[in-house]
Amino acid sequence: MVKNTPLIFEISEKGRVGYSLPKPLYPEYSVDTLDFSLLREELPNLPETSELNVIRHFTNISKLNFGVENGFYPLGSCTMKYNPKINEEIASMGIFNRLHPYQSVSSVQGVLKIYDELQRMLSNLSGLDEFSLNPYAGAHGELTGLMIMKKYHEDRQDFKRTKVLVPDSAHGTNPASATVCGLESVEIKSNIHGKVDLDSLKAALNDEIAGIMLTNPNTLGIFESDIAEIAKLVHEAGGLLYYDGANMNALLGVSRPGDMGFDICHINLHKTFSTPHGGGGPGSGPVGVKKHLAHLLPNPRVKKQDEYFYIENSKEAIGQISSFFGNFKVWLRAYVYILTLGKENIVNVGPYAVLNANYVKERLKEDYLLPIKGFCMHECVFDGLVDQSTGVRTLDVAKRILDFGMHAPTIYFPLLFHQSIMIEPTETESLLALNHFVDVMKKIAVEAKENPDLVKSAPHTTPISRIDEVFAAKRMILTYKDYLDAQLDTE
Ligand SMILES: *Cc1c(COP(=O)(O)O)cnc(C)c1O
């Protein structure tokens, strides 16, 4: 097993401390005066070390990681883009740090105003009428949106509608959210152009369909040009249209899901609207709906009367899906981002995102197999190297990219191809950065011919080289004890 940095437990020395507390102001209330039954029998196993060692430890660990601020991060279906520093500056202002969710409504009018304004900005950008900022993530937004869909049918006493159509190119969270919501997902095939196959769709439509979940442009980076027809068919069959707007970059300033016929959508603020992804969170997945569904949006809601904001909990709503109003500081950052760009610049997001993806696609298509030709949206998908004779596979290419100080694209997704490489450069990358990435990808294609073993054994410069993925999946090291056991085994 590769050992890079000692664990914090391994630099622990008995008795070493990193703090000194002031003398207690009320010595009569100390641990010694606590009821014996409240005390733990054994001391917790906490590391003991100095402040300097703690700082070194975490700084060193942070260097083993790779983020959007280390280099190009072209993960597809995941919009990893620039997190502007002005967002952080505003979000860390003391006035926002001291907020408490139980403050009186009259003392948080400004915050509620931001909620209201961001909600209206998202409405303008998406063409849906009303938003809730409460969901914590994209998948959470999907669940919220599907709960709205389900309740819409139930409120009309139409209990048969329990099936949700999901194209085979969809993000894995779509069928998962449907299942969590108690609905059944039914897969719809894509045609050779990577779009929904209309005949498969027609065959699947009946009076048990609650709706369809679509991503447009879909996860192949292809725009569903039949969307108007799809919307008509699904609506005529009594279903609703759900829009997965996790990565909405391509649409900003160009097109709106509301105008395409969608009834419900979620938007990932941690993708399209530049807030950090964090270590799996915190995120924000606001959900928007058309007017006829607005009464179902989750509680609590921010409402306005005569310039005064108040909070409403409605009985008609699907209920409450988050502790308060979601991740306030995340949606605050998105609000700052939208204001920073302004009306005149936000319309460039879509065109630049599309331009960058097409530039990369066109420059790489001689070396990497392009299964779906033609114009793409914000991301493009290759199916491995053109020259398959070298035995170098997508995984090897992805690992080799790491050696050049960049993150790998998404690989082996979508599942429509065997060697998928899905690249989303985003609108915030410069021509210089794109050219560097293209050069590296071309260099790897040459290496695959001339020295395939170099690529197959990559990465060579990262803290951990190629891992045995099967072994790692079978023998997971998730706790300190697992780690110690694994070490014993290899000794
Ligand atoms: C990222 C993503 C999701 C899920 O969003 P999370 O915030 O990770 O839950 C859903 N759909 C698509 C297309 C995505 O790219």
Side-chain angles (χ1 to χ4, degrees), residues 474-486:
K474 285 197 167 159
R475 171 120 195 216
M476 289 199 236
I477 298 179
L478 302 174
T479 65
Y480 186 54
K481 185 169 175 306
D482 295 343
Y483 167 81
L484 290 179
D485 290 348

Side-chain angles (χ1 to χ4, degrees), residues 77-78 137-139 142 171 173-174 215 219 244 246-247 266 268 270-271:
S77 193
C78 201
E142 289 171 27
H171 195 276
T173 49
N174 291 188
T215 310
T219 60
D244 178 342
N247 314 279
H266 84 266
N268 278 18
H270 48 287
K271 290 179 182 168

Side-chain angles (χ1 to χ4, degrees), residues 2 69 83 105 161 178 225 240 278-279 281 351 395 400 424 442 483:
V2 195
E69 287 169 5
N83 309 140
V105 171
R161 296 194 178 265
S225 47
L240 295 179
L395 179 71
R400 182 67 178 139
E424 182 185 356
K442 285 180 171 292
Y483 167 81

